Amino acid sequence: MKIHHIGYLVKNVEKAAKAAEVLGFTPCADAVYDVDRRIYILFMENGGYRIELVQPDQDSEIYPLMKRYKNSPYHICYDIEDEEMDAAIERLSEQKFTLFKAPCRAVALEGDAAFLMSLDIGMVELVKR
Ligand code: NI
């Protein structure tokens, strides 16, 4: 699977974007607010590498992760391309990946996204666009 983006958890998306700009990233679009997940999302790109800056509200289900990760990468997202989402999840589940967020609409990605956890390699996002 091709890597679609690296997800960063950030306390302040504007400050994070400025830091990323120093590193050569430019915004792909304006930041969007995902009402369901209560997070601000900004995608940025640098020479084919894409990052996702995720700033959760305090009542977001993602907010508790802030204590653990602070400002740092916390997931890698893979584009499943031609594979169906259910098939990809089943394939990974057979390899000790545990689904913890079922596929749902990812506003900023214009596709469906699901999250799985591996005790051996951490958090993985799958996207079907
Ligand atoms: Ni992501």
Side-chain angles (χ1 to χ4, degrees):
M1 296 184 284
K2 280 186 186 155
I3 291 176
H4 183 272
H5 65 261
I6 295 169
Y8 277 78
L9 200 60
V10 300
K11 292 176 187 169
N12 181 305
V13 74
E14 287 173 17
K15 287 182 180 176
K18 280 184 185 153
E21 279 173 14
V22 172
L23 299 171
F25 286 91
T26 52
C28 301
D30 290 337
V32 297
Y33 184 67
D34 187 327
V35 179
D36 295 331
R37 297 163 71 200
R38 300 191 179 284
I39 52 177
Y40 288 93
I41 299 171
L42 177 64
F43 278 98
M44 299 182 79
E45 204 164 18
N46 177 2
Y49 291 97
R50 205 179 288 117
I51 57 173
E52 172 191 39
L53 305 178
V54 177
Q55 177 195 321
D57 282 348
Q58 288 195 7
D59 58 355
S60 166
E61 62 185 4
I62 295 165
Y63 189 78
L65 293 176
M66 195 64 90
K67 273 186 182 153
R68 177 170 170 188
Y69 293 99
K70 299 191 172 69
N71 291 308
S72 71
Y74 76 112
H75 73 262
I76 294 182
C77 176
Y78 296 86
D79 190 335
I80 60 175
E81 300 177 277
D82 294 337
E83 195 174 10
E84 290 304 318
M85 183 62 97
D86 289 348
I89 290 170
E90 191 177 328
R91 183 167 59 78
L92 291 181
S93 296
E94 286 166 0
Q95 303 292 331
K96 297 191 196 171
F97 287 76
T98 305
L99 181 70
F100 72 90
K101 182 145 179 59
C104 63
R105 191 76 190 156
V107 183
L109 282 172
E110 296 176 351
D112 292 325
F115 285 86
L116 298 94
M117 182 62 87
S118 160
L119 291 176
D120 298 317
I121 204 159
M123 197 184 300
V124 167
E125 178 180 18
L126 300 179
V127 64
K128 176 76 179 180
R129 288 148 59 80

